[in-house]
Amino acid sequence: MQRALNLCQDYHTSLISQSSSYRSADNRFNLWIPVVYTDGEYFLARSFRAGKDSVTAGSKIIRAEGKPIDRYVAGLMSERVLRYDFNHQRFYSEQFYLNMQSVFQRHFTLAFKTPEGGRKSVQLPIDTRLDFINPIRDTIKNQVSYWEKEEVLYIKLYRMDNAVLPRLKQKLADFKRSGKTPERIIVDLRDNSGGNDVVWQTIYESILPSPVSYPLVLDGLPPRFLNEEYFRQQEIARNALIDENQALLRPFKFKQYYHSDWKIIPNDSSRKFTGKVIILGSELNYSSGASAFQLARANKNDSIYLISRPTGMFLGTGFAPIVLTLANSRLSYRIEPVGKLSDLMHDEYEITLPWSLQEIRDKAFYPGDTLSKDFMLAKDPIIKRAMSL
């Protein structure tokens, strides 16, 4: 059942619990390999020591467990959720080394092509962390800060966590009272793994000058499969349902449970900012962390921009997954309701900036904090692009 649901390729689609044997094996798996996938290839993002040898950041991964890397990853489709590369028409995963086979092994073997053109093969114990040559000095935090010289209000959200809302709202209110007028607002959502949509909606409500609306469609199974409690919780009226007629979903007799515009309305304390709002995303955005991109898509000809990298993820439209129970086994599982094929991914951006080998090396060899203002303005291509708009 786990493998069947994994073939849906959506993290929201899953059994709610895994087998105890897999969980205990996974807990012993301490190997983490920083990998970047770009233009159909896998690269090492940080240098590490392997016995008496070392492997340098920017080295290309060419084989895993003795197999060509693409063939190895393709064999994981029923075992873990993968990303999809439309340009190369293949599934991929930066964490290919963590799967239902590797957690029960003692070692994982990788072969690299180095930046100098040489080849290296290393056998890495799965219960040991890598010995990185350059330590990470990044400080990860949600924040609202003002860059005086650049006249930028910078908002960073790492997770859509309700607990951070009061502090972020207070910071935004304090900035409004300061009377400073930024030239642009940067909302940095890179690596945001999701949470509660209320967080990003509240942030937008605190800066927008006027309402922004975007269409939402929630599709689901015929009502006979769902109880009254679900309809009550979702505030959906049974008599408001209509048939889903899109070709992709018509054979399943799906119904549209919600089909209307969703509005983000500025609150009373909104900054009512009329300048450029630039939203930043990355390949690691997921769920609510990617649903926040909707603001940039709502109005194509406005001053709201979105710069990101494709997630390659089947993400849904931002609604919470529906929890269902199999009739005979009573196993609980979840599905992500989507309206049309294009809703499966949040990968339509105004500006797309892929990883480059130069960026990998800049981050790997920088001696300080790569999330600091100084590094981002000097070396971060996404921030530099945002500053050029």
Side-chain angles (χ1 to χ4, degrees), residues 8 23 29 39 42 85 150 155 164 167 185 189 191 201 221 236 250 265 270 291 295 306 312 321 332 363 368 385:
C8 297
R23 280 201 309 274
F29 196 98
D39 196 23
Y42 297 84
D85 180 348
E150 294 77 17
I155 302 170
V164 307
R167 183 168 59 87
I185 294 178
L189 303 176
D191 302 349
Q201 290 167 354
L221 297 168
I236 297 171
R250 192 182 303 127
I265 301 173
S270 173
S291 296
L295 185 72
L306 174 59
S332 294
K363 285 182 178 290
R385 185 69 177 91

Side-chain angles (χ1 to χ4, degrees), residues 221-232:
L221 297 168
R224 66 180 180 275
F225 292 105
L226 300 171
N227 58 34
E228 291 301 327
E229 180 63 20
Y230 173 79
F231 284 89
R232 186 163 54 253

Side-chain angles (χ1 to χ4, degrees), residues 156-320:
K156 178 69 179 179
L157 281 175
Y158 271 99
R159 180 162 173 77
M160 302 304 176
D161 185 353
N162 278 355
V164 307
L165 263 184
R167 183 168 59 87
L168 294 178
K169 288 171 68 176
Q170 183 62 51
K171 286 273 191 180
L172 288 169
D174 292 344
F175 179 74
K176 181 182 179 181
R177 283 193 293 271
S178 74
K180 295 175 181 176
T181 304
E183 181 179 338
R184 70 196 75 212
I185 294 178
I186 294 177
V187 182
D188 194 342
L189 303 176
R190 289 179 290 180
D191 302 349
N192 191 301
S193 60
N196 195 323
D197 287 347
V198 171
V199 177
W200 61 263
Q201 290 167 354
T202 301
I203 295 300
Y204 292 157
E205 289 166 0
S206 299
I207 60 177
L208 291 176
S210 56
V212 173
S213 63
Y214 53 90
L216 281 182
V217 176
L218 170 63
D219 273 45
L221 297 168
R224 66 180 180 275
F225 292 105
L226 300 171
N227 58 34
E228 291 301 327
E229 180 63 20
Y230 173 79
F231 284 89
R232 186 163 54 253
Q233 288 179 352
Q234 302 293 328
E235 298 181 355
I236 297 171
R238 280 184 181 269
N239 59 10
L241 305 187
I242 62 175
D243 291 335
E244 176 54 73
N245 287 315
Q246 295 180 75
L248 178 71
L249 299 174
R250 192 182 303 127
F252 302 101
K253 309 291 185 186
F254 276 13
K255 296 284 187 178
Q256 285 191 5
Y257 286 32
Y258 186 91
H259 45 91
S260 185
D261 284 349
W262 188 271
K263 280 192 175 182
I264 298 177
I265 301 173
N267 57 37
D268 293 339
S269 59
S270 173
R271 186 69 179 73
K272 298 193 181 299
F273 182 68
T274 57
K276 295 173 183 175
V277 175
I278 305 156
I279 302 167
L280 309 182
S282 74
E283 69 277 16
L284 298 180
N285 282 84
Y286 184 70
S287 191
S288 181
S291 296
F293 297 166
Q294 292 290 354
L295 185 72
R297 295 198 191 90
N299 300 297
K300 293 294 186 184
N301 300 314
D302 58 15
S303 58
I304 303 173
Y305 301 86
L306 174 59
I307 305 174
S308 189
R309 290 173 174 139
T311 67
M313 281 290 190
F314 294 84
L315 299 160
T317 56
F319 281 93

